[in-house]
Short mmCIF file of all heavy atoms in Angstrom, two decimals:
data_model
loop_
_atom_site.label_atom_id
_atom_site.label_comp_id
_atom_site.label_asym_id
_atom_site.label_seq_id
_atom_site.Cartn_x
_atom_site.Cartn_y
_atom_site.Cartn_z
N PHE L 92 -10.36 -6.03 7.77
CA PHE L 92 -9.34 -4.98 7.89
C PHE L 92 -8.09 -5.45 8.62
O PHE L 92 -7.08 -4.75 8.62
CB PHE L 92 -9.95 -3.75 8.57
CG PHE L 92 -11.09 -3.17 7.78
CD1 PHE L 92 -12.39 -3.30 8.21
CD2 PHE L 92 -10.85 -2.51 6.59
CE1 PHE L 92 -13.44 -2.78 7.47
CE2 PHE L 92 -11.89 -1.99 5.83
CZ PHE L 92 -13.19 -2.13 6.27
N ASP L 93 -8.15 -6.64 9.21
CA ASP L 93 -6.94 -7.19 9.81
C ASP L 93 -5.84 -7.37 8.77
O ASP L 93 -4.66 -7.41 9.11
CB ASP L 93 -7.24 -8.54 10.47
CG ASP L 93 -8.12 -8.40 11.71
OD1 ASP L 93 -8.43 -7.24 12.08
OD2 ASP L 93 -8.51 -9.42 12.29
N HIS L 94 -6.25 -7.47 7.50
CA HIS L 94 -5.25 -7.65 6.45
C HIS L 94 -4.34 -6.43 6.33
O HIS L 94 -3.15 -6.57 6.02
CB HIS L 94 -5.93 -7.92 5.11
CG HIS L 94 -6.37 -9.34 4.95
ND1 HIS L 94 -5.49 -10.38 4.71
CD2 HIS L 94 -7.60 -9.91 5.02
CE1 HIS L 94 -6.15 -11.51 4.62
NE2 HIS L 94 -7.44 -11.26 4.81
N ALA L 95 -4.87 -5.24 6.55
CA ALA L 95 -4.02 -4.05 6.52
C ALA L 95 -3.00 -4.09 7.65
O ALA L 95 -1.83 -3.71 7.47
CB ALA L 95 -4.88 -2.79 6.62
N VAL L 96 -3.41 -4.60 8.81
CA VAL L 96 -2.49 -4.76 9.94
C VAL L 96 -1.41 -5.78 9.60
O VAL L 96 -0.22 -5.57 9.84
CB VAL L 96 -3.26 -5.18 11.21
CG1 VAL L 96 -2.29 -5.42 12.36
CG2 VAL L 96 -4.30 -4.12 11.58
N ARG L 97 -1.81 -6.90 9.00
CA ARG L 97 -0.85 -7.94 8.65
C ARG L 97 0.14 -7.44 7.60
O ARG L 97 1.34 -7.74 7.65
CB ARG L 97 -1.58 -9.17 8.12
CG ARG L 97 -2.44 -9.88 9.15
CD ARG L 97 -3.20 -11.03 8.50
NE ARG L 97 -4.40 -11.39 9.24
CZ ARG L 97 -5.35 -12.17 8.79
NH1 ARG L 97 -5.25 -12.70 7.57
NH2 ARG L 97 -6.41 -12.45 9.52
N MET L 98 -0.36 -6.68 6.64
CA MET L 98 0.54 -6.15 5.61
C MET L 98 1.56 -5.21 6.22
O MET L 98 2.75 -5.26 5.89
CB MET L 98 -0.26 -5.44 4.52
CG MET L 98 0.59 -5.00 3.34
SD MET L 98 -0.36 -4.26 1.98
CE MET L 98 -0.41 -2.56 2.53
N GLU L 99 1.12 -4.34 7.14
CA GLU L 99 2.06 -3.42 7.77
C GLU L 99 3.06 -4.18 8.63
O GLU L 99 4.25 -3.84 8.65
CB GLU L 99 1.31 -2.39 8.60
CG GLU L 99 2.20 -1.27 9.10
CD GLU L 99 1.47 0.02 9.36
OE1 GLU L 99 0.23 -0.02 9.57
OE2 GLU L 99 2.12 1.09 9.35
N ASP L 100 2.61 -5.21 9.35
CA ASP L 100 3.53 -6.03 10.15
C ASP L 100 4.58 -6.69 9.26
O ASP L 100 5.76 -6.76 9.63
CB ASP L 100 2.75 -7.10 10.92
CG ASP L 100 1.95 -6.54 12.08
OD1 ASP L 100 2.21 -5.38 12.49
OD2 ASP L 100 1.06 -7.25 12.58
N MET L 101 4.15 -7.18 8.08
CA MET L 101 5.08 -7.80 7.14
C MET L 101 6.15 -6.80 6.71
O MET L 101 7.35 -7.12 6.65
CB MET L 101 4.32 -8.33 5.92
CG MET L 101 5.21 -8.91 4.83
SD MET L 101 4.27 -9.30 3.31
CE MET L 101 3.94 -7.63 2.70
N ILE L 102 5.73 -5.57 6.41
CA ILE L 102 6.68 -4.54 5.97
C ILE L 102 7.64 -4.18 7.09
O ILE L 102 8.86 -4.08 6.90
CB ILE L 102 5.91 -3.29 5.48
CG1 ILE L 102 5.12 -3.62 4.21
CG2 ILE L 102 6.87 -2.13 5.24
CD1 ILE L 102 4.12 -2.55 3.82
N VAL L 103 7.11 -3.98 8.30
CA VAL L 103 7.95 -3.60 9.44
C VAL L 103 8.95 -4.71 9.77
O VAL L 103 10.14 -4.44 10.02
CB VAL L 103 7.07 -3.29 10.67
CG1 VAL L 103 7.92 -3.12 11.92
CG2 VAL L 103 6.25 -2.02 10.42
N ASP L 104 8.51 -5.96 9.76
CA ASP L 104 9.42 -7.07 10.04
C ASP L 104 10.50 -7.19 8.97
O ASP L 104 11.67 -7.48 9.27
CB ASP L 104 8.63 -8.39 10.14
CG ASP L 104 7.77 -8.46 11.39
OD1 ASP L 104 8.01 -7.67 12.33
OD2 ASP L 104 6.86 -9.30 11.42
N THR L 105 10.12 -6.97 7.71
CA THR L 105 11.11 -7.03 6.64
C THR L 105 12.11 -5.89 6.76
O THR L 105 13.31 -6.07 6.52
CB THR L 105 10.41 -6.98 5.26
OG1 THR L 105 9.46 -8.05 5.17
CG2 THR L 105 11.42 -7.11 4.14
N LYS L 106 11.63 -4.71 7.17
CA LYS L 106 12.53 -3.57 7.37
C LYS L 106 13.57 -3.89 8.45
O LYS L 106 14.74 -3.50 8.33
CB LYS L 106 11.71 -2.34 7.76
CG LYS L 106 12.54 -1.10 8.11
CD LYS L 106 13.33 -0.60 6.90
CE LYS L 106 13.85 0.82 7.10
NZ LYS L 106 14.75 0.98 8.25
N LYS L 107 13.16 -4.58 9.50
CA LYS L 107 14.12 -4.95 10.55
C LYS L 107 15.23 -5.84 9.98
O LYS L 107 16.40 -5.71 10.36
CB LYS L 107 13.40 -5.67 11.68
CG LYS L 107 12.46 -4.77 12.49
CD LYS L 107 11.72 -5.57 13.54
CE LYS L 107 10.74 -4.69 14.30
NZ LYS L 107 9.95 -5.48 15.30
N LEU L 108 14.86 -6.75 9.07
CA LEU L 108 15.86 -7.58 8.42
C LEU L 108 16.78 -6.74 7.54
O LEU L 108 18.01 -6.88 7.58
CB LEU L 108 15.19 -8.68 7.60
CG LEU L 108 16.11 -9.54 6.72
CD1 LEU L 108 17.11 -10.31 7.58
CD2 LEU L 108 15.29 -10.49 5.84
N LEU L 109 16.21 -5.83 6.76
CA LEU L 109 17.02 -5.01 5.86
C LEU L 109 18.00 -4.13 6.63
O LEU L 109 19.10 -3.83 6.15
CB LEU L 109 16.11 -4.13 5.00
CG LEU L 109 15.14 -4.86 4.06
CD1 LEU L 109 14.34 -3.85 3.24
CD2 LEU L 109 15.85 -5.84 3.16
N ASP L 110 17.62 -3.72 7.84
CA ASP L 110 18.49 -2.86 8.65
C ASP L 110 19.75 -3.58 9.10
O ASP L 110 20.70 -2.93 9.57
CB ASP L 110 17.73 -2.34 9.87
CG ASP L 110 16.72 -1.27 9.51
OD1 ASP L 110 16.84 -0.69 8.41
OD2 ASP L 110 15.81 -1.00 10.32
N ARG L 111 19.81 -4.90 8.98
CA ARG L 111 21.01 -5.64 9.35
C ARG L 111 22.14 -5.46 8.33
O ARG L 111 23.31 -5.75 8.64
CB ARG L 111 20.70 -7.13 9.48
CG ARG L 111 19.66 -7.47 10.55
CD ARG L 111 19.44 -8.98 10.57
NE ARG L 111 18.33 -9.37 11.44
CZ ARG L 111 17.91 -10.62 11.60
NH1 ARG L 111 18.53 -11.61 10.96
NH2 ARG L 111 16.89 -10.89 12.39
N TYR L 112 21.78 -5.01 7.15
CA TYR L 112 22.77 -4.89 6.08
C TYR L 112 23.20 -3.43 5.94
O TYR L 112 22.41 -2.52 6.16
CB TYR L 112 22.19 -5.44 4.77
CG TYR L 112 21.74 -6.87 4.93
CD1 TYR L 112 20.40 -7.18 5.19
CD2 TYR L 112 22.65 -7.91 4.88
CE1 TYR L 112 19.99 -8.49 5.39
CE2 TYR L 112 22.26 -9.23 5.08
CZ TYR L 112 20.92 -9.51 5.33
OH TYR L 112 20.52 -10.81 5.53
N PRO L 113 24.46 -3.19 5.58
CA PRO L 113 24.98 -1.81 5.56
C PRO L 113 24.24 -0.92 4.57
O PRO L 113 23.81 -1.38 3.51
CB PRO L 113 26.45 -1.99 5.17
CG PRO L 113 26.50 -3.31 4.46
CD PRO L 113 25.47 -4.17 5.14
N THR L 114 24.11 0.34 4.94
CA THR L 114 23.47 1.31 4.05
C THR L 114 24.26 1.46 2.75
O THR L 114 23.69 1.51 1.66
CB THR L 114 23.36 2.68 4.75
OG1 THR L 114 22.56 2.52 5.93
CG2 THR L 114 22.72 3.71 3.83
N ARG L 115 25.58 1.51 2.89
CA ARG L 115 26.46 1.59 1.72
C ARG L 115 27.41 0.40 1.74
O ARG L 115 27.92 0.02 2.80
CB ARG L 115 27.25 2.90 1.71
CG ARG L 115 26.39 4.12 1.50
CD ARG L 115 27.26 5.37 1.39
NE ARG L 115 28.12 5.32 0.23
CZ ARG L 115 27.77 5.72 -0.99
NH1 ARG L 115 26.55 6.20 -1.19
NH2 ARG L 115 28.61 5.67 -2.00
N VAL L 116 27.65 -0.14 0.58
CA VAL L 116 28.55 -1.29 0.45
C VAL L 116 29.97 -0.76 0.33
O VAL L 116 30.31 -0.08 -0.65
CB VAL L 116 28.18 -2.15 -0.78
CG1 VAL L 116 29.14 -3.33 -0.91
CG2 VAL L 116 26.74 -2.63 -0.67
N GLU L 117 30.79 -1.04 1.32
CA GLU L 117 32.16 -0.50 1.34
C GLU L 117 33.15 -1.42 0.66
O GLU L 117 34.16 -0.98 0.11
CB GLU L 117 32.58 -0.25 2.80
CG GLU L 117 31.69 0.72 3.56
CD GLU L 117 31.75 2.12 2.99
OE1 GLU L 117 32.71 2.44 2.25
OE2 GLU L 117 30.81 2.90 3.26
N SER L 118 32.91 -2.72 0.71
CA SER L 118 33.85 -3.68 0.15
C SER L 118 33.16 -4.48 -0.96
O SER L 118 32.23 -5.24 -0.71
CB SER L 118 34.35 -4.63 1.24
OG SER L 118 35.24 -5.58 0.70
N PHE L 119 33.62 -4.24 -2.19
CA PHE L 119 33.01 -4.92 -3.34
C PHE L 119 34.10 -5.15 -4.36
O PHE L 119 34.80 -4.20 -4.77
CB PHE L 119 31.89 -4.05 -3.92
CG PHE L 119 31.03 -4.75 -4.95
CD1 PHE L 119 30.15 -5.75 -4.56
CD2 PHE L 119 31.11 -4.41 -6.29
CE1 PHE L 119 29.35 -6.40 -5.49
CE2 PHE L 119 30.31 -5.05 -7.23
CZ PHE L 119 29.43 -6.04 -6.83
N ASP L 120 34.27 -6.37 -4.79
CA ASP L 120 35.38 -6.75 -5.67
C ASP L 120 35.31 -5.97 -6.98
O ASP L 120 34.31 -6.03 -7.72
CB ASP L 120 35.31 -8.25 -5.94
CG ASP L 120 36.62 -8.79 -6.52
OD1 ASP L 120 37.27 -8.06 -7.28
OD2 ASP L 120 36.97 -9.94 -6.20
N ARG L 121 36.38 -5.22 -7.27
CA ARG L 121 36.40 -4.39 -8.48
C ARG L 121 36.40 -5.22 -9.76
O ARG L 121 36.10 -4.71 -10.84
CB ARG L 121 37.61 -3.46 -8.48
CG ARG L 121 38.95 -4.16 -8.55
CD ARG L 121 40.07 -3.16 -8.36
NE ARG L 121 41.39 -3.77 -8.46
CZ ARG L 121 42.08 -3.87 -9.59
NH1 ARG L 121 41.57 -3.41 -10.72
NH2 ARG L 121 43.27 -4.43 -9.59
N TRP L 122 36.70 -6.52 -9.64
CA TRP L 122 36.72 -7.36 -10.83
C TRP L 122 35.32 -7.66 -11.36
O TRP L 122 35.17 -8.20 -12.46
CB TRP L 122 37.47 -8.66 -10.54
CG TRP L 122 38.93 -8.41 -10.29
CD1 TRP L 122 39.60 -8.50 -9.11
CD2 TRP L 122 39.90 -7.99 -11.26
NE1 TRP L 122 40.91 -8.17 -9.26
CE2 TRP L 122 41.14 -7.85 -10.59
CE3 TRP L 122 39.85 -7.71 -12.63
CZ2 TRP L 122 42.31 -7.45 -11.22
CZ3 TRP L 122 41.01 -7.31 -13.27
CH2 TRP L 122 42.21 -7.19 -12.57
N TYR L 123 34.32 -7.31 -10.58
CA TYR L 123 32.97 -7.43 -11.13
C TYR L 123 32.74 -6.42 -12.26
O TYR L 123 31.87 -6.60 -13.11
CB TYR L 123 31.92 -7.21 -10.03
CG TYR L 123 31.75 -8.38 -9.10
CD1 TYR L 123 31.96 -8.25 -7.73
CD2 TYR L 123 31.37 -9.63 -9.58
CE1 TYR L 123 31.81 -9.32 -6.86
CE2 TYR L 123 31.21 -10.71 -8.73
CZ TYR L 123 31.43 -10.54 -7.37
OH TYR L 123 31.28 -11.61 -6.53
N ARG L 124 33.50 -5.33 -12.23
CA ARG L 124 33.45 -4.28 -13.27
C ARG L 124 32.12 -3.52 -13.31
O ARG L 124 31.76 -2.93 -14.31
CB ARG L 124 33.76 -4.87 -14.67
CG ARG L 124 35.20 -5.36 -14.78
CD ARG L 124 35.45 -5.94 -16.15
NE ARG L 124 34.70 -7.18 -16.32
CZ ARG L 124 34.29 -7.65 -17.50
NH1 ARG L 124 34.52 -6.96 -18.61
NH2 ARG L 124 33.63 -8.79 -17.57
N PHE L 125 31.39 -3.55 -12.21
CA PHE L 125 30.22 -2.69 -12.05
C PHE L 125 30.09 -2.36 -10.57
O PHE L 125 30.59 -3.09 -9.71
CB PHE L 125 28.94 -3.35 -12.59
CG PHE L 125 28.56 -4.64 -11.91
CD1 PHE L 125 27.83 -4.63 -10.72
CD2 PHE L 125 28.91 -5.87 -12.46
CE1 PHE L 125 27.47 -5.81 -10.09
CE2 PHE L 125 28.54 -7.06 -11.83
CZ PHE L 125 27.83 -7.03 -10.64
N PRO L 126 29.45 -1.25 -10.24
CA PRO L 126 29.39 -0.81 -8.85
C PRO L 126 28.32 -1.56 -8.06
O PRO L 126 27.35 -2.07 -8.63
CB PRO L 126 29.04 0.67 -8.96
CG PRO L 126 28.25 0.76 -10.23
CD PRO L 126 28.86 -0.26 -11.16
N PRO L 127 28.43 -1.62 -6.72
CA PRO L 127 27.38 -2.18 -5.89
C PRO L 127 26.23 -1.19 -5.75
O PRO L 127 26.28 -0.08 -6.31
CB PRO L 127 28.08 -2.40 -4.55
CG PRO L 127 29.09 -1.29 -4.50
CD PRO L 127 29.56 -1.12 -5.92
N ARG L 128 25.21 -1.57 -5.03
CA ARG L 128 24.11 -0.63 -4.78
C ARG L 128 24.65 0.60 -4.05
O ARG L 128 25.65 0.54 -3.32
CB ARG L 128 23.01 -1.29 -3.97
CG ARG L 128 23.42 -1.78 -2.60
CD ARG L 128 22.25 -2.36 -1.83
NE ARG L 128 22.73 -3.08 -0.65
CZ ARG L 128 23.02 -2.51 0.51
NH1 ARG L 128 22.90 -1.20 0.65
NH2 ARG L 128 23.45 -3.24 1.52
N GLN L 129 23.94 1.73 -4.22
CA GLN L 129 24.44 3.01 -3.72
C GLN L 129 23.67 3.53 -2.52
O GLN L 129 23.99 4.61 -2.01
CB GLN L 129 24.40 4.04 -4.85
CG GLN L 129 25.24 3.66 -6.05
CD GLN L 129 26.71 3.50 -5.71
OE1 GLN L 129 27.35 4.43 -5.22
NE2 GLN L 129 27.27 2.31 -5.94
N ARG L 130 22.64 2.83 -2.07
CA ARG L 130 21.86 3.29 -0.91
C ARG L 130 21.29 2.07 -0.19
O ARG L 130 21.56 0.93 -0.57
CB ARG L 130 20.75 4.25 -1.33
CG ARG L 130 19.77 3.69 -2.36
CD ARG L 130 18.57 4.62 -2.52
NE ARG L 130 17.79 4.71 -1.29
CZ ARG L 130 16.72 5.50 -1.15
NH1 ARG L 130 16.32 6.26 -2.15
NH2 ARG L 130 16.06 5.52 -0.02
#
Side-chain angles (χ1 to χ4, degrees):
F92 299 107
D93 291 356
H94 280 286
V96 177
R97 294 176 204 168
M98 186 176 87
E99 189 154 22
D100 287 345
M101 176 188 71
I102 293 168
V103 170
D104 289 343
T105 303
K106 175 64 165 60
K107 291 177 183 177
L108 173 63
L109 298 182
D110 286 342
R111 299 180 187 178
Y112 303 97
T114 300
R115 293 184 64 87
V116 179
E117 301 295 342
S118 178
F119 191 71
D120 196 325
R121 64 188 182 91
W122 293 108
Y123 284 121
R124 294 179 292 153
F125 61 83
R128 61 177 168 84
Q129 300 299 302
R130 57 170 296 177

